[in-house]
Amino acid sequence: MKVYIKSFGCQMNDRDSEALAGLFLDKGYILTDNLEEAEIILVNTCSVREHAENRALSFLGTLRKVTKSQSYKVTSNRRNTQYAIHDTKIVGLIGCMAKNRGEELLKKISHLDLVIGPANFDKIPYYIEKIRKEGVRIIDIEDKERKEDFYSSSFRFQKDYAYVVISTGCSNFCSYCVVPYVRGELRLRKPSDIIREVERNVKLGIKKITLLGQNVNDYQYKSSVGGYRSLVNFVDLLRMVGEVEGLEEIDFVTSHPKNTSPELFELMAKSNKIKKHLHLPFQSGSDRILRLMNRGYTKNDYLKLVSSYKEVVGGTLSTDVIVGFPTETEEDFLQTKEVLEKVRFKYAYIFKYSPRPRTKAQLLGDDVEKREKERRHRILLELQKKISLSQDS
Ligand code: SF4
């Protein structure tokens, strides 16, 4: 059977789609990038911004046409009539949006057969079989720890680099962010499992890896064997990954400024494998807005961290910024602009705020007008473009 997987959103989603593709391949399915010939279509979604959800919804809408041409087979026996759908396309909504809006969308979208949250990807091939045999619609959005087996396949989308997930979920609850609600609380993979996956990549000839976590600095793996307790933090983990023979380059995302440590900078400076680049989202330059965002640092803290990074590591920086957060004034916005001007990031992802369901920020309303958000967005984009160009030259 042929499987088509469409992925929206971040690198974490790309890695999830890749691991899922590996599960299917290991079970004898075939991957296809042709929607028409696919028998199973899975849409891996993102809920971080309204725009990302709308893109996935519009893609799901287009699938109505593709699935329409297929017909249900009806087989009968003496007692009852059975509906077998083994020659019908199966459409699945998976990932963050499934967790966020799955129940509602399963009711609304009649050609949707499967809705699976991020914690239950390992069960997707099993559910597909169940749908084929029983003709049922399935929803599983339970929040739980992912099985380690999910990462077991050797299939990789790219030949020269790979993503390695070190943690899933997040317990930081930045007030605008839906991640803790859709991906669940912070859960850590064992250091030994992470190292094994890195080694597997090296055996496949992949020498560059990116470690992925919503906030890598939250990695604090505690274990206790025979009364002996140990703790592996993110810097320890990086050091362990750096010792994998044959690995040439290590990158990582994302680092939250509130717990990015001097030890990390020291290791980055010393290591000849860790890329000298740091993605350090500051989100806003206004202390008042940062408090409302529950970010846990001030503009000054951030700027001090940046100057320490520049001094110790001397590498490049990138960031994320939100404009138009509820109650953001012109003065707040100018503070954000000032941070961009001062730090001179290599690149920056600048977003217009959109309220996300269940988040604290949603309760603050959405009072910055669309036109004003667009103006602030445009100003920062133009500014950053100039800064990036001046660094390229
Ligand atoms: S650190 Fe904040 S912004 Fe990042 S995933 Fe966690 S809650 Fe969201």
Side-chain angles (χ1 to χ4, degrees):
M1 286 200 87
K2 293 185 177 169
V3 188
Y4 176 102
I5 303 177
K6 171 92 177 166
S7 208
F8 290 94
C10 62
Q11 291 140 318
M12 191 70 91
N13 268 13
D14 289 343
R15 174 62 186 131
D16 286 354
S17 293
E18 178 182 74
L20 181 61
L23 286 189
F24 276 112
L25 288 171
D26 291 352
K27 289 185 187 304
Y29 289 76
I30 298 165
L31 290 184
T32 178
D33 51 11
N34 181 337
L35 261 183
E36 296 290 333
E37 66 174 31
E39 289 142 300
I40 298 159
I41 302 172
L42 299 170
V43 189
N44 192 6
T45 54
C46 168
S47 279
V48 165
R49 267 165 279 282
E50 199 181 351
H51 180 63
E53 286 202 342
N54 289 342
R55 282 177 58 219
L57 278 178
S58 129
F59 181 74
L60 273 173
T62 62
L63 295 181
R64 184 170 289 120
K65 271 188 258 144
V66 191
T67 52
K68 240 185 190 168
S69 58
Q70 305 292 319
S71 59
Y72 280 73
K73 257 192 185 171
V74 181
T75 53
S76 303
N77 60 25
R78 260 171 292 158
R79 284 210 186 137
N80 53 22
T81 302
Q82 290 179 346
Y83 295 87
I85 57 164
H86 41 262
D87 64 346
T88 302
K89 287 187 197 298
I90 295 173
V91 176
L93 167 75
I94 63 173
C96 294
M97 205 172 155
K99 174 78 179 160
N100 200 25
R101 296 176 57 185
E103 280 163 344
E104 164 211 341
L105 293 173
L106 194 64
K107 280 184 203 145
K108 274 192 190 156
I109 304 177
S110 57
H111 57 279
L112 204 53
D113 305 291
L114 181 69
V115 172
I116 304 293
N120 306 298
F121 274 28
D122 56 305
K123 281 158 82 182
I124 291 177
Y126 162 75
Y127 286 141
I128 294 286
E129 282 307 304
K130 200 168 161 64
I131 292 171
R132 287 177 64 209
K133 285 188 191 134
E134 299 171 23
V136 287
R137 299 174 90 202
I138 293 174
I139 178 162
D140 185 354
I141 51 175
E142 191 195 341
D143 180 27
K144 60 178 170 48
E145 183 133 21
R146 237 179 210 179
K147 287 210 180 101
E148 185 51 38
D149 279 2
F150 179 61
Y151 301 106
S152 63
S153 170
S154 292
F155 171 72
R156 299 290 178 269
F157 284 139
Q158 306 296 335
K159 297 265 174 288
D160 52 349
Y161 71 89
Y163 296 129
V164 178
V165 172
I166 65 165
S167 62
T168 58
C170 181
S171 301
N172 284 310
F173 291 94
C174 299
S175 70
Y176 53 84
C177 182
V178 76
V179 167
Y181 306 96
V182 292
R183 285 199 169 257
E185 66 185 44
L186 175 72
R187 292 181 173 108
L188 310 178
R189 284 180 77 196
K190 278 187 197 157
S192 54
D193 289 332
I194 296 168
I195 299 298
R196 252 196 300 279
E197 189 175 326
V198 174
E199 287 170 343
R200 215 179 311 135
N201 283 322
V202 172
K203 276 200 191 118
L204 292 168
I206 297 170
K207 297 184 175 159
K208 295 179 185 178
I209 57 138
T210 300
L211 301 176
L212 299 179
Q214 302 297 342
N215 172 19
V216 290
N217 304 321
D218 285 339
Y219 192 93
Q220 302 268 339
Y221 191 87
K222 292 179 190 128
S223 62
S224 172
V225 183
Y228 177 75
R229 279 190 295 215
S230 74
L231 184 137
V232 175
N233 66 22
F234 179 60
V235 176
D236 299 326
L237 182 71
L238 258 185
R239 213 174 275 123
M240 290 160 74
V241 171
E243 281 164 13
V244 172
E245 231 170 276
L247 186 67
E248 288 175 2
E249 189 178 285
I250 310 163
D251 198 0
F252 55 89
V253 274
T254 293
S255 299
H256 194 309
K258 76 173 178 185
N259 56 359
T260 297
S261 67
E263 290 77 29
L264 175 66
F265 296 163
E266 281 156 27
L267 182 64
M268 286 178 83
K270 260 195 261 160
S271 166
N272 55 4
K273 289 189 180 177
I274 302 173
K275 207 169 161 187
K276 306 280 186 279
H277 180 84
L278 186 66
H279 186 68
L280 195 66
F282 78 92
Q283 308 296 9
S284 171
S286 154
D287 288 347
R288 188 182 69 82
I289 296 290
L290 285 171
R291 258 195 314 279
L292 286 175
M293 286 177 165
N294 190 31
R295 289 292 286 174
Y297 54 87
T298 62
K299 173 182 161 198
N300 237 345
D301 295 336
Y302 185 86
L303 291 174
K304 271 195 211 152
L305 191 64
V306 163
S307 66
S308 153
Y309 169 78
K310 287 184 175 173
E311 196 184 308
V312 179
V313 184
T316 51
L317 283 152
S318 55
T319 198
D320 295 339
V321 179
I322 297 172
V323 293
F325 187 84
T327 77
E328 185 188 71
T329 61
E330 182 66 11
E331 176 52 31
D332 295 319
F333 167 68
L334 292 175
Q335 299 274 332
T336 301
K337 186 165 169 264
E338 191 193 319
V339 175
L340 273 191
E341 284 161 341
K342 275 198 170 145
V343 178
R344 301 186 65 77
F345 297 95
K346 188 168 184 202
Y347 53 91
Y349 299 102
I350 299 159
F351 301 102
K352 288 170 273 181
Y353 173 77
S354 66
R356 302 284 64 219
R358 287 182 277 176
T359 60
K360 280 232 169 102
Q362 194 198 19
L363 304 174
L364 299 171
D366 187 16
D367 61 339
V368 180
E369 284 188 7
K370 191 167 172 257
R371 276 182 59 178
E372 185 53 25
K373 277 185 197 166
E374 278 164 2
R375 184 186 71 88
R376 293 176 190 175
H377 186 239
R378 203 171 45 245
I379 291 173
L380 295 194
L381 279 182
E382 279 165 15
L383 170 64
Q384 182 55 43
K385 196 173 162 194
K386 277 189 205 141
I387 295 171
S388 298
L389 282 173
S390 73
Q391 291 188 14
D392 284 347
S393 55

